[in-house]
Amino acid sequence: MASWLNDITEEVLRNDLHSLMQTTPDAIHVINRLYEYLGGSEVNNNKRRKISSESNGGSGEQERLDFGPPPTISGSGGNVINIESPLNPEEIIFDIQQVSFWSPLRKKLNLTFHLIEFNGAPTPILSIVNPSTMVPEFSLFNLSQAVRLCVILPILGNSTNPQKKNVVSLCFWLVDGLDPIVLQVNLDQIKKQLIKQGKIPPNIENSLNGKTTEDDNNPLKLSPVQDLIMDYFVRQFQLIGIDLVNYLPSSSSALFSNKYVLNTDNAIAMSTKENASSMVIIEAHKGSKDGSLVCLAAKGDSPAYMIFGFKKPIMIFERSEIMSTSYANITNNTFSIIITVSVNGEEKTIEFGMIDQKYHQVLDDFIKNEGINDDSFNDDLREKSEKEQQAQAQAQAAGEGEGEREGAANEPTGAHGAVGAADDDDEEGDDDYHSGLEEEESDVAEEYDSDHHSDDAHDKGNESEDFEVVEISSDEEGVDKIKEAEEEQPTSETETSPEGFVFTKATES
């Protein structure tokens, strides 16, 4: 056994290494090399940099972890901070690595919860982190105030497929007009990460054998393990100041009572113990752009919401902002819903069309249950809708005519040239993002831009995306490594649930 093992003063780490060397003798050589690489018994000294009395104006000597300058607070409302140095792995509470973001950035990044010291206390931070540099590209603190709404939702098209139903959307809507955070997560991937991180027992599947009912074996519901993971998410998010609302179909009424009322490729309706029409997601179009109209019922202190996403622009309206709704363009197959909203004192109407008639009832039930005024017999709205349709049709005709003339002059030779031009537009379109109402009245010629094609291509790519299992840093082990000499560093403590889940929360240092 390595002689330096007794030099490790941290008992948990020493015991873990001792057990690893006994169970896996081949690992001893690798661990010895790692120890030598890190500087032997001087690893802790090399890890810290001392600020001498000469450099701090004679105020004495103190130690800090050498992970760059402290973050500076900036941004609207003071909830956005700027962190220019790599994150300290010892301060990471929990992270989901290499996940596909839809907003505010469109690429694979890490969603990381970690600690920083703020006003002498450890403070939880939500960061979107570049996995290659571990430097956050966006960071948010004061989470209980900064996050307006946090939900996890099934995805249309995935919820009906047993192979894809584990890929769901995690969404954060923020205050101060900030772009929402929207990403896809794979629940099977999360389970593997939590096991590697030591957050759940490796044998958790075996411990749940025999605890399911015949109805629990529905392949479109969450498995019992996934139910426990969602319960873990809800409780862990609460510890860092975020109320996560779970809208996934549960297999156990002991944890959640979410059940599908409707589940097709084009619409989902969910009931909970609080509400028979708690959540409705319906495929709809805003102009030429297809998307999902999401209706969330009031729950506890959280108001009802109507959301349209998850392509640009992503829109969210609180119940207090929704003045009325009305139905228009009713045919044998489809209809439109017109929503009148008042945002910052400005009244606007927004139309979502091409909704399948089969889903009128579930949408109408939600509107009635939330007490939203039905203004379908308002002649002014009907007349306005007809005029807008005529204007859009004229703009579309004019745009197509102009496009044909320009195309005749600039059309590249060969099919490959046309495809290449479209691909270039897709890449440029992904760099721009606008939220809220600012794009809602754009004309049809603008709506038929490259963003439409780019979003479609992106969504199709996500469906077949492979998720890589990446080991996550353990917060419990890391926080224990912060010595008494670093009392100003953020600290945390853990507690274990009866099921074996390990929770982390910030504590005073």
Side-chain angles (χ1 to χ4, degrees):
M1 193 65 63
S3 60
W4 52 264
L5 197 60
N6 294 327
D7 295 336
I8 297 178
T9 57
E10 187 180 334
E11 184 178 357
V12 174
L13 177 60
R14 185 173 64 249
N15 292 338
D16 287 345
L17 287 172
H18 182 73
S19 299
L20 177 62
M21 290 178 177
Q22 283 187 326
T23 57
T24 313
D26 292 342
I28 296 177
H29 177 64
V30 177
I31 294 173
N32 280 331
R33 288 179 57 193
L34 177 63
Y35 176 78
E36 294 171 0
Y37 174 78
L38 293 175
S41 61
E42 299 299 319
V43 60
N44 288 332
N45 293 332
N46 291 339
K47 181 179 171 183
R48 301 179 180 90
R49 58 179 171 89
K50 290 189 175 182
I51 304 175
S52 64
S53 57
E54 292 81 12
S55 62
N56 61 20
S59 60
E61 198 173 68
Q62 66 184 98
E63 292 183 349
R64 287 185 180 273
L65 293 178
D66 191 7
F67 284 94
T72 57
I73 297 177
S74 62
S76 176
N79 294 320
V80 176
I81 62 173
N82 179 33
I83 302 177
E84 298 179 351
S85 55
L87 294 185
N88 183 349
E90 296 178 351
E91 296 172 2
I92 292 178
I93 298 173
F94 173 69
D95 65 349
I96 308 173
Q97 298 189 353
Q98 296 281 342
V99 290
S100 295
F101 281 77
W102 289 347
S103 174
L105 307 167
R106 294 187 60 126
K107 53 184 175 180
K108 280 192 173 183
L109 298 163
N110 296 353
L111 180 72
T112 303
F113 296 103
H114 58 101
L115 297 173
I116 65 167
E117 181 189 357
F118 181 68
N119 289 340
T123 303
I125 303 295
L126 184 158
S127 290
I128 300 174
V129 180
N130 186 318
S132 61
T133 64
M134 290 303 293
V135 176
E137 299 195 10
F138 175 84
S139 295
L140 198 70
F141 90 128
N142 192 24
L143 299 179
S144 61
Q145 302 297 321
V147 178
R148 179 183 183 184
L149 174 67
C150 180
V151 297
I152 189 160
L153 301 168
I155 299 175
L156 289 178
N158 285 10
S159 64
T160 56
N161 188 326
Q163 282 72 45
K164 295 181 180 179
K165 55 114 178 172
N166 296 321
V167 180
V168 297
S169 295
L170 178 59
C171 312
F172 303 79
W173 277 273
L174 312 178
V175 300
D176 302 326
L178 297 172
D179 293 343
I181 300 172
V182 182
L183 61 148
Q184 283 188 343
V185 295
N186 186 317
L187 297 180
D188 286 339
Q189 168 80 356
I190 297 300
K191 182 187 74 173
K192 294 174 183 177
Q193 289 184 0
L194 289 175
I195 290 174
K196 283 182 173 289
Q197 193 180 7
K199 297 291 187 181
I200 60 177
N203 62 340
I204 191 169
E205 298 274 6
N206 296 333
S207 66
L208 294 175
N209 283 345
K211 296 185 179 181
T212 61
T213 66
E214 182 178 349
D215 188 53
D216 292 338
N217 295 322
N218 184 334
L220 299 180
K221 290 185 176 182
L222 297 189
S223 68
V225 172
Q226 290 169 340
D227 252 358
L228 287 173
I229 290 174
M230 288 313 307
D231 181 61
Y232 169 80
F233 266 43
V234 169
R235 291 195 277 171
Q236 181 67 79
F237 277 43
Q238 285 176 342
L239 291 175
I240 59 177
I242 299 176
D243 289 327
L244 171 64
V245 183
N246 171 32
Y247 287 105
L248 300 180
S250 57
S251 63
S252 171
S253 58
L255 296 175
F256 304 99
S257 299
N258 303 345
K259 297 184 181 299
Y260 280 134
V261 177
L262 174 70
N263 184 24
T264 71
D265 288 341
N266 307 110
I268 299 170
M270 187 81 66
S271 69
T272 65
K273 61 182 178 181
E274 295 91 355
N275 197 317
S277 181
S278 183
M279 183 272 293
V280 176
I281 305 177
I282 297 177
E283 183 180 35
H285 286 70
K286 183 181 177 299
S288 65
K289 297 180 181 179
D290 65 311
S292 299
L293 180 61
V294 182
C295 305
L296 304 178
K299 186 174 184 179
D301 296 332
S302 177
Y305 288 92
M306 295 188 77
I307 300 162
F308 184 73
F310 294 94
K311 301 176 184 178
K312 300 178 288 186
I314 300 175
M315 311 169 77
I316 180 169
F317 302 106
E318 195 174 304
R319 170 65 184 89
S320 60
E321 299 171 326
I322 302 172
M323 301 175 63
S324 65
T325 62
S326 63
Y327 300 111
N329 306 325
I330 300 172
T331 69
N332 290 333
N333 298 316
T334 63
F335 67 96
S336 298
I337 183 170
I338 300 173
I339 302 175
T340 303
V341 298
S342 178
V343 180
N344 298 325
E346 183 180 2
E347 182 177 323
K348 288 184 176 290
T349 59
I350 308 162
E351 181 174 342
F352 302 109
M354 298 297 293
I355 303 173
D356 197 309
Q357 274 283 3
K358 292 184 292 186
Y359 311 126
H360 172 268
Q361 189 62 54
V362 292
L363 181 58
D364 195 56
D365 287 346
F366 172 85
I367 291 170
K368 289 177 179 177
N369 290 341
E370 294 304 320
I372 300 173
N373 182 38
D374 184 353
D375 214 12
S376 297
F377 296 100
N378 188 326
D379 291 335
D380 291 338
L381 276 178
R382 244 197 323 258
E383 182 180 352
K384 182 176 181 180
S385 177
E386 292 172 357
K387 289 181 178 179
E388 287 178 349
Q389 290 181 52
Q390 293 174 1
Q392 288 181 352
Q394 292 173 359
Q396 180 177 356
E400 289 176 351
E402 183 177 349
E404 290 174 359
R405 289 192 294 272
E406 292 180 355
N410 301 309
E411 184 177 4
T413 57
H416 295 289
V419 172
D423 290 342
D424 291 341
D425 288 344
D426 287 348
E427 294 175 2
E428 293 176 2
D430 284 346
D431 293 335
D432 300 325
Y433 178 86
H434 303 283
S435 63
L437 295 170
E438 56 195 40
E439 287 189 15
E440 71 179 47
E441 294 183 348
S442 61
D443 58 31
V444 173
E446 180 180 354
E447 289 176 338
Y448 279 98
D449 61 9
S450 60
D451 285 342
H452 175 58
H453 303 290
S454 172
D455 289 336
D456 287 345
H458 178 77
D459 289 346
K460 291 178 181 178
N462 284 337
E463 292 181 354
S464 60
E465 182 175 70
D466 293 328
F467 288 80
E468 178 186 358
V469 177
V470 183
E471 185 171 354
I472 310 175
S473 302
S474 170
D475 56 285
E476 181 180 359
E477 177 182 332
V479 175
D480 288 341
K481 290 183 181 178
I482 301 180
K483 304 297 182 180
E484 293 181 358
E486 302 153 354
E487 292 181 353
E488 74 281 10
Q489 292 297 314
T491 59
S492 63
E493 65 181 24
T494 61
E495 58 185 38
T496 304
S497 70
E499 298 87 0
F501 284 74
V502 180
F503 294 88
T504 305
K505 61 181 178 179
T507 61
E508 296 289 342
S509 55

